[in-house]
Amino acid sequence: MYGAVIHAPGDVRFEQRPDPQIEQPTDAVIRMLATCVCGSDLWSYRGANPIRRPTPMGHEYLGVVEEVGADVRAVRPGDVVIGSFFASDGTCEICRSGYPSRCVQAIGMGSLGAQAERLRVPLADGTLVATPGTPDADLIPSLLAASDVLGTGWFGAEAAAVRPGKTVVVVGDGAVGLLGVLAARVQGAERIIAMSRHADRQRLARTFGATDIVEERGDEGVARVKDLTDGLGAHSTIEAVGTQESMLQAIRSTRAGGHVGFVGVSHGVELSGQLLFYSEVHLFGGPAPVRRFLPDLIGRIWRREIDPGLVFDLTLPLSEVAEGYRAMDERRAIKVLLQP
Amino acid sequence: MYGAVIHAPGDVRFEQRPDPQIEQPTDAVIRMLATCVCGSDLWSYRGANPIRRPTPMGHEYLGVVEEVGADVRAVRPGDVVIGSFFASDGTCEICRSGYPSRCVQAIGMGSLGAQAERLRVPLADGTLVATPGTPDADLIPSLLAASDVLGTGWFGAEAAAVRPGKTVVVVGDGAVGLLGVLAARVQGAERIIAMSRHADRQRLARTFGATDIVEERGDEGVARVKDLTDGLGAHSTIEAVGTQESMLQAIRSTRAGGHVGFVGVSHGVELSGQLLFYSEVHLFGGPAPVRRFLPDLIGRIWRREIDPGLVFDLTLPLSEVAEGYRAMDERRAIKVLLQP
């Protein structure tokens, strides 16, 4: 089969890879219906993560089960399925406590390369969730979004303890930040302040439920948020970038006793204990436990209550995956959907 | 009147200071029944905080109201009262949300110097809580402990989300850590692992409810905690020191999805975003909202359900405050009570 392989920063190729096989009795192999490029893939593309050898890419997937191992019970050939970017057993104490992305057996799906025609999914029973039936074509983008960016934005809102009637700031206007806006709205936030400088992303933020847009950053951005919140800062802030600047923006935009949920994969961030102590905000984040949210999120999409697929503003054939990376790197696209 | 004044690291003097007066109609002036030396006072004593001029010391106080300003309603002369190390108005949005130590009008009591014969307490209605009557002499140490170290340990347990049946690690065996053990027990923890190398503090930790003692630190300390928790780490960890080593110990001893409550005043701590992201622990701490806890804690002490005053293992006349600092600095005492 063919799939995406990164050879060096800026060098993603669509090339032949070994056909995935059932290797463990708990594996499934799926045929890809849709996959996509993640903001976190750009860390490698831009050279922020080392690339030691040609490496398959991609960790978001919506597919049809082709084959299952002997021990798989929860899905069967023909099912349309979604999973998260971590395979998880669903049975360990950490999974049962709600953190499947930190499963004691967790396997990063990125290492298996979902930007491909087929994909082996380990721990299929714990990892995959079947859709209620064959999805209409127009639901495909939203269902694919559930695999990572929707679930991650959803976790950002949960980690930021979004509550009905409260004010939420969202730092970052990529797909995760925008879906953080959507999640905050669905979770009941009254006021949602999206920090964004890009007109197209501002529009999408408003579509998803943002009530205010702040274009300023740094001290000015903090001051604008304070202006909008009686001088106190937000109750909840979703951080969806992962840089020093965005983390400080998030912490400083939040009131004492408030919550920061950070879901941007952290790069080069160093936080002083004094800042954390005296800002007195709850800080929680990490790889989103997307698998926990999937049944709920798939249901909301299936009932057409939410339309997270709007974050895909460019669709390409999977064979043009390299152009997908370029478009996102150059910010010509928010998020690129790839069709095999 | 006389009170403690620090002139330089290691140089605390008992000297004449101006008599406190009612300055604002919301002030009260109290005559001290008991005060004490805090672990956080040692940061100045040891030179970790700059001392730019001779500075009054102390922020823990139990006293009798002598005089109140014209607007004070909640307490009156003759009342025995306790307050926290921050004066707070009790009416602003931050106070009402449960974080009085971050009140929009907060005033650090340390700047007023509670290691003294008398003390002006600003915002008396929001700050002071009267005891149900004149306390028996043997309740004085426990009531004084409520002013900071008990309330701070209590907050550590709350911030660490201690729940019935869960396993809690306590990093730090000073008064706050020991009272974190007590708080964890009262809040229902099943297993409480105290990290301590000192036999006397280990005994007190067991008295307060510790079920296990870990003497190791660093990697070995983490490994011991993992051994005791099925390889996963604790559900909740209370950090009560404030150093880089203790913060890393706390974070690394906690399972994914678990909670770290940090109440040691942070000095020289730098946490990498990657550590926070991939440890995926809830992190919350800061100046404890002690005022919120005072009515409950005073009640528990009054009913003799808890005996936090056991942390005082040395009592001195207030005039010997300098010896009190020395004894704590040299770890000859856990905590020193000072009697005017």
Side-chain angles (χ1 to χ4, degrees):
Chain A
M1 66 154 191
Y2 276 74
V5 175
I6 193 164
H7 288 254
D11 181 8
V12 171
R13 303 179 199 169
F14 188 65
E15 62 184 34
Q16 195 157 20
R17 292 180 44 208
D19 280 316
Q21 312 281 343
I22 299 292
E23 298 177 10
Q24 301 288 332
T26 49
D27 287 349
V29 169
I30 67 171
R31 176 173 54 81
M32 206 61 68
L33 290 175
T35 180
C36 50
V37 183
C38 185
S40 68
D41 292 330
L42 296 182
W43 291 112
S44 297
Y45 190 78
R46 290 168 174 167
N49 290 343
I51 299 163
R52 294 195 179 80
R53 64 189 73 80
T55 306
M57 291 292 287
H59 53 263
E60 296 157 285
Y61 51 100
L62 171 70
V64 180
V65 176
E66 288 206 320
E67 193 183 355
V68 296
D71 293 348
V72 175
R73 297 285 175 273
V75 298
R76 53 188 179 184
D79 284 351
V80 174
V81 293
I82 308 170
S84 130
F85 47 90
F86 274 107
S88 51
D89 63 23
T91 57
C92 76
E93 195 171 331
I94 301 297
C95 278
R96 285 184 285 123
S97 74
Y99 294 94
S101 54
R102 299 298 311 280
C103 170
V104 299
Q105 298 196 65
I107 298 168
M109 293 302 297
S111 65
L112 297 163
Q115 289 158 4
E117 294 170 327
R118 283 180 173 70
L119 177 69
R120 180 174 71 89
V121 180
L123 303 168
D125 276 351
T127 304
L128 294 173
V129 178
T131 60
T134 302
D136 294 341
D138 68 325
L139 287 184
I140 297 279
S142 287
L143 290 169
L144 176 61
S147 182
D148 179 350
V149 282
L150 174 60
T152 296
W154 196 266
F155 177 55
E158 177 187 275
V162 169
R163 295 286 181 276
K166 301 296 185 185
T167 295
V168 180
V169 164
V170 180
V171 179
D173 61 1
V176 171
L178 292 166
L179 292 172
V181 171
L182 180 153
R185 178 179 59 76
V186 175
Q187 294 179 29
E190 180 173 305
R191 190 168 202 176
I192 302 172
I193 303 167
M195 307 196 78
S196 172
R197 293 179 161 178
H198 302 86
D200 56 334
R201 294 165 188 238
Q202 291 175 4
R203 272 194 300 276
L204 195 46
R206 287 199 185 273
T207 299
F208 283 147
T211 55
D212 299 84
I213 303 288
V214 167
E215 296 202 341
E216 294 85 348
R217 294 184 184 180
D219 291 344
E220 285 178 45
V222 171
R224 283 283 297 135
V225 170
K226 293 280 173 81
D227 284 347
L228 294 168
T229 54
D230 297 328
L232 301 176
H235 299 95
S236 297
T237 300
I238 301 170
E239 190 283 337
V241 184
T243 63
Q244 182 76 7
E245 183 189 15
S246 65
M247 283 293 278
L248 294 181
Q249 188 83 70
I251 292 168
R252 295 176 59 211
S253 297
T254 308
R255 68 182 57 195
H259 292 73
V260 173
F262 64 102
V263 291
V265 179
S266 205
H267 279 76
V269 174
E270 289 283 335
L271 299 176
S272 87
Q274 289 225 347
L275 171 74
L276 296 175
F277 190 85
Y278 290 107
S279 62
E280 200 151 11
V281 299
H282 299 75
L283 190 63
F284 182 46
V290 173
R291 174 60 182 81
R292 167 157 54 97
F293 306 130
L294 279 178
D296 176 44
L297 295 177
I298 290 171
R300 291 175 191 270
I301 293 164
W302 205 261
R303 296 188 300 271
R304 297 177 184 273
E305 295 168 8
I306 56 175
D307 194 0
L310 291 175
V311 295
F312 292 106
D313 54 352
L314 179 62
T315 296
L316 294 171
L318 177 57
S319 57
E320 293 178 31
V321 57
E323 167 56 16
Y325 276 79
R326 273 194 299 275
M328 281 181 61
D329 179 42
E330 296 165 9
R331 293 180 78 89
R332 285 184 280 117
I334 298 173
K335 193 164 177 74
V336 177
L337 188 144
L338 300 165
Q339 291 177 317
Chain B
M1 68 151 190
Y2 276 74
V5 175
I6 193 164
H7 289 253
D11 180 8
V12 170
R13 302 178 199 171
F14 187 64
E15 62 185 35
Q16 195 157 18
R17 292 180 43 207
D19 280 315
Q21 311 281 343
I22 300 292
E23 297 177 11
Q24 302 288 331
T26 48
D27 287 349
V29 170
I30 67 171
R31 175 174 54 80
M32 207 60 69
L33 289 176
T35 180
C36 51
V37 182
C38 185
S40 68
D41 293 330
L42 296 182
W43 290 111
S44 298
Y45 190 78
R46 290 169 174 165
N49 291 343
I51 300 163
R52 295 196 178 80
R53 64 190 72 80
T55 306
M57 291 292 287
H59 54 264
E60 296 157 286
Y61 51 100
L62 170 71
V64 180
V65 176
E66 287 205 319
E67 192 183 356
V68 297
D71 293 348
V72 174
R73 297 284 174 274
V75 297
R76 53 190 177 182
D79 284 351
V80 174
V81 293
I82 307 170
S84 128
F85 48 90
F86 274 107
S88 51
D89 62 23
T91 57
C92 75
E93 194 171 331
I94 301 297
C95 278
R96 284 183 286 123
S97 75
Y99 293 95
S101 55
R102 298 300 310 280
C103 171
V104 298
Q105 298 195 64
I107 298 168
M109 294 302 297
S111 64
L112 297 163
Q115 289 158 4
E117 294 170 327
R118 285 180 172 69
L119 176 69
R120 180 174 72 88
V121 181
L123 303 168
D125 276 352
T127 305
L128 295 173
V129 178
T131 60
T134 301
D136 294 339
D138 68 324
L139 288 183
I140 297 278
S142 288
L143 291 169
L144 176 62
S147 183
D148 179 351
V149 282
L150 174 60
T152 295
W154 197 264
F155 176 55
E158 178 187 274
V162 169
R163 295 286 181 276
K166 302 296 184 184
T167 296
V168 180
V169 165
V170 180
V171 179
D173 61 0
V176 171
L178 291 165
L179 291 172
V181 170
L182 180 153
R185 178 180 59 78
V186 175
Q187 294 178 31
E190 180 172 304
R191 189 167 202 178
I192 302 172
I193 302 167
M195 306 196 77
S196 171
R197 294 180 162 179
H198 303 85
D200 56 335
R201 293 165 189 238
Q202 292 175 3
R203 272 193 301 274
L204 196 45
R206 289 200 185 273
T207 299
F208 284 148
T211 55
D212 299 84
I213 303 287
V214 167
E215 297 203 340
E216 294 85 349
R217 293 184 185 180
D219 291 345
E220 284 179 47
V222 171
R224 282 285 296 136
V225 170
K226 293 281 174 79
D227 283 347
L228 293 168
T229 55
D230 297 329
L232 301 175
H235 299 96
S236 298
T237 301
I238 301 170
E239 189 284 335
V241 183
T243 62
Q244 183 75 8
E245 183 189 15
S246 64
M247 283 294 278
L248 294 181
Q249 187 84 71
I251 291 168
R252 295 176 59 211
S253 296
T254 308
R255 67 182 59 195
H259 292 74
V260 173
F262 63 101
V263 291
V265 179
S266 204
H267 279 75
V269 174
E270 290 282 335
L271 299 177
S272 87
Q274 288 225 348
L275 171 74
L276 295 175
F277 190 84
Y278 291 106
S279 62
E280 200 151 13
V281 298
H282 299 76
L283 190 63
F284 182 46
V290 173
R291 174 61 183 80
R292 167 157 54 97
F293 306 131
L294 279 178
D296 176 45
L297 296 178
I298 291 171
R300 291 175 191 268
I301 293 164
W302 206 261
R303 296 188 300 272
R304 297 177 184 274
E305 294 167 9
I306 55 175
D307 195 359
L310 291 174
V311 294
F312 292 107
D313 54 351
L314 178 62
T315 297
L316 295 171
L318 178 57
S319 57
E320 292 178 30
V321 57
E323 167 57 16
Y325 276 80
R326 273 194 299 275
M328 282 181 60
D329 178 43
E330 296 165 8
R331 294 181 77 89
R332 285 185 280 116
I334 297 173
K335 193 164 178 73
V336 177
L337 189 145
L338 301 166
Q339 292 177 316

